[in-house]
Amino acid sequence: MTARPQAYRPETAILDLGDAFYDRVTAADFPQTILRFRNDRAAVEVGLDTLSDEEWIAHFGRFTPLSGTLPEPLALRYHGHQFRTYNPDIGDGRGFLFAQLLGADGRLMDLGTKGSGQTPYSRFGDGRLTLKGGIREILATEMLEALGVPTSRTFSLIETGEALERNDEPSPTRSAVLVRLSHSHVRIGTFQRLAYFRDKNALRALTGYALLRLYGEKPGDDAAARLLDLVVGRTATLAGKYMAAGFVHGVLNSDNINVTGESFDYGPWRFTPTWDPGFTAAYFDHAGLYAFGRQPEAIHWDAMQLAVALRPICEAEPLIAALDTFGDRYQRAVGDAILWRLGLTPRDPDSDRALVQTIEPVLRGTATGIDRFFFDAFGGRLPDSYGEPWDEVRDALAAYTPRTDRSHPYWSGEPCSMLIEEVETIWSAIDERDDWEPLYAKVAAIREMGEALAGERLAAAAANG
């Protein structure tokens, strides 16, 4: 039986908040619009997969409005802590909210941009995106999606024909405009801005919007505390999934954490080769504030800033109570995420926590590759080549039941990784020879890994009898 196509269902929910939350802007007029990547898998989910390439470029390179949704782009207003220093001079500086629509599951989805031109918040920036930055975001989002991390998805990448000057990479360099599909662009920093201006009415309005439109809950008398509790749960889950993926975001500022707990805005990201708590992604993170092992702490700190921002409209006690649940929720989340990546069914919180505490020190102490370990141990059995240091891990894994098997062809090959050397190799092929095949081949390989991890082939076989 063939699934019915998803209908296109435009929305304009953000307009209900009013002009105090955004600025109406105009997209840059680019010299060229060369389509380099269109995510038809994501487009199917929002009813946009039937667009021709010409229509796609018109909407996502020239930003002709989609029918029934926002009539013009909106640069969203927000503040945020950047490396723990509050900055009231930020906002959408090289992107905007282009459209809203409902996904296949009924969720409100945003199409937002990166590199679409200057806005009132660009300051001294040119509002542009390097093509390399766009390539890196494709690779980050595809890999994280495959590894089960809640993430925005790169919807479109169009090369724009401008030569950009940058002080942190060889210049001039090629330019692009990117569109991402995500479940909201409302950030913790969006709330911080309203608290900064002591605008209680706007705080209540945004809290109600987030509960109703992003979580599907009708706001009540405890709206602020309820929202914080939901955000703490989602962000704790995000932190746990980051760790299981071996992912380092690099810039976990409060303006880079949205209130749906969905990872987005990929700059200096990396995947750590080994379980190294001190591994950092950003060359400018000299103190290791956002190092691999400190990400749960950083995300919890950001959730605390949301609590502070909500304090004008809520008593302290319920906010503190919600924040205090972060640690336990994170522990459960990292256990669930590691078991999922191992292809095993969770047992109980104590056993799952003990398994994580058994695996982590051996991974760290042996400097075993993270991707190698999860590939070899998928299904719960370690190969004999894993020697004596792994005996306790082997015994712990044996107590678990596989949720799927290794029948997918992916398991007969080698683990799919996304380390910095391969990112640079993929970019070099594009930069030096305009060869896009390594990128497209990598995306295909990543998606195959995602199918194998999810057990999709096995599930499909069972469904078909």
Side-chain angles (χ1 to χ4, degrees), residues 23-29 72-73 96 116-119:
D23 292 88
R24 301 171 194 276
V25 295
T26 302
D29 184 12
E72 54 194 329
F96 48 63
S116 50
Q118 292 180 315
T119 78

Side-chain angles (χ1 to χ4, degrees), residues 237-309:
T237 296
L238 176 64
K241 290 179 179 289
Y242 271 174
M243 299 304 287
F247 180 71
V248 187
H249 183 282
V251 190
L252 291 174
N253 297 330
S254 63
D255 58 296
N256 284 341
I257 303 291
N258 76 18
V259 296
T260 59
E262 184 183 70
S263 181
F264 77 113
D265 204 10
Y266 300 100
W269 65 268
R270 289 195 187 187
F271 285 87
T272 177
T274 61
W275 198 278
D276 177 4
F279 183 89
T280 58
Y283 69 88
F284 45 83
D285 187 5
H286 305 296
L289 181 63
Y290 298 142
F292 175 58
R294 295 185 67 184
Q295 291 185 119
E297 168 201 338
I299 292 173
H300 186 206
W301 192 91
D302 288 328
M304 290 170 59
Q305 306 320 303
L306 177 59
V308 172

Side-chain angles (χ1 to χ4, degrees), residues 198-231:
R198 298 179 174 86
D199 192 339
K200 293 183 181 181
N201 290 335
L203 272 172
R204 292 190 184 97
L206 186 60
T207 299
Y209 174 90
L211 279 174
L212 184 62
R213 301 313 306 257
L214 307 183
Y215 283 99
E217 294 195 7
K218 186 176 180 179
D221 293 339
D222 63 344
R226 178 58 181 153
L227 177 61
L228 180 64
D229 184 65
L230 291 166
V231 174

Side-chain angles (χ1 to χ4, degrees), residues 106-353:
R107 291 196 307 169
L108 179 67
M109 304 297 292
D110 288 353
L111 285 171
T113 66
K114 190 173 184 179
S116 50
Q118 292 180 315
T119 78
Y121 308 102
S122 300
R123 293 178 287 174
F124 301 107
D126 59 13
R128 303 308 203 258
L129 171 70
T130 67
L131 181 61
K132 183 178 183 180
I135 299 302
R136 284 173 50 83
E137 186 140 340
I138 291 171
L139 294 171
T141 55
E142 290 286 336
M143 193 72 177
L144 288 173
E145 183 183 358
L147 290 172
V149 179
T151 178
S152 65
R153 286 179 285 174
T154 304
F155 196 77
S156 171
L157 185 70
I158 290 175
E159 189 169 357
T160 55
E162 294 178 308
L164 304 180
E165 295 290 336
R166 291 294 184 267
N167 59 15
D168 57 352
E169 61 181 282
S171 295
T173 188
R174 293 156 72 175
S175 58
V177 62
L178 178 144
V179 176
R180 61 167 69 102
L181 178 70
S182 66
H183 182 38
S184 165
H185 282 81
V186 175
R187 310 155 190 254
I188 288 174
T190 314
F191 286 84
Q192 289 181 282
R193 175 182 172 274
L194 301 176
Y196 179 88
F197 289 117
R198 298 179 174 86
D199 192 339
K200 293 183 181 181
N201 290 335
L203 272 172
R204 292 190 184 97
L206 186 60
T207 299
Y209 174 90
L211 279 174
L212 184 62
R213 301 313 306 257
L214 307 183
Y215 283 99
E217 294 195 7
K218 186 176 180 179
D221 293 339
D222 63 344
R226 178 58 181 153
L227 177 61
L228 180 64
D229 184 65
L230 291 166
V231 174
V232 167
R234 291 281 186 90
T235 54
T237 296
L238 176 64
K241 290 179 179 289
Y242 271 174
M243 299 304 287
F247 180 71
V248 187
H249 183 282
V251 190
L252 291 174
N253 297 330
S254 63
D255 58 296
N256 284 341
I257 303 291
N258 76 18
V259 296
T260 59
E262 184 183 70
S263 181
F264 77 113
D265 204 10
Y266 300 100
W269 65 268
R270 289 195 187 187
F271 285 87
T272 177
T274 61
W275 198 278
D276 177 4
F279 183 89
T280 58
Y283 69 88
F284 45 83
D285 187 5
H286 305 296
L289 181 63
Y290 298 142
F292 175 58
R294 295 185 67 184
Q295 291 185 119
E297 168 201 338
I299 292 173
H300 186 206
W301 192 91
D302 288 328
M304 290 170 59
Q305 306 320 303
L306 177 59
V308 172
L310 291 171
R311 182 65 183 86
I313 60 170
C314 186
E315 295 297 323
E317 288 77 9
L319 299 175
I320 293 169
L323 287 172
D324 285 346
T325 67
F326 185 94
D328 286 342
R329 285 166 149 176
Y330 165 72
Q331 292 294 339
R332 289 196 298 273
V334 74
D336 288 347
I338 285 176
L339 284 164
W340 181 85
R341 197 171 177 189
L342 286 167
L344 302 175
T345 302
R347 293 174 60 197
D348 60 80
D350 290 340
S351 298
D352 298 345
R353 183 179 292 111

Side-chain angles (χ1 to χ4, degrees), residues 386-438:
Y386 283 72
E388 183 178 350
W390 291 92
D391 288 347
E392 191 175 352
V393 174
R394 184 177 281 106
D395 292 343
L397 291 173
Y400 283 82
T401 302
R403 64 170 172 82
T404 185
D405 61 21
R406 298 177 67 101
S407 62
H408 192 285
Y410 170 75
W411 301 114
S412 64
E414 287 294 310
C416 181
S417 297
M418 183 48 63
L419 303 181
I420 188 61
E421 294 81 9
E422 186 170 9
V423 175
E424 292 297 330
T425 297
I426 290 169
W427 167 244
S428 292
I430 293 168
D431 184 39
E432 297 170 7
R433 304 184 300 279
D434 209 31
D435 181 1
W436 291 80
E437 284 310 309

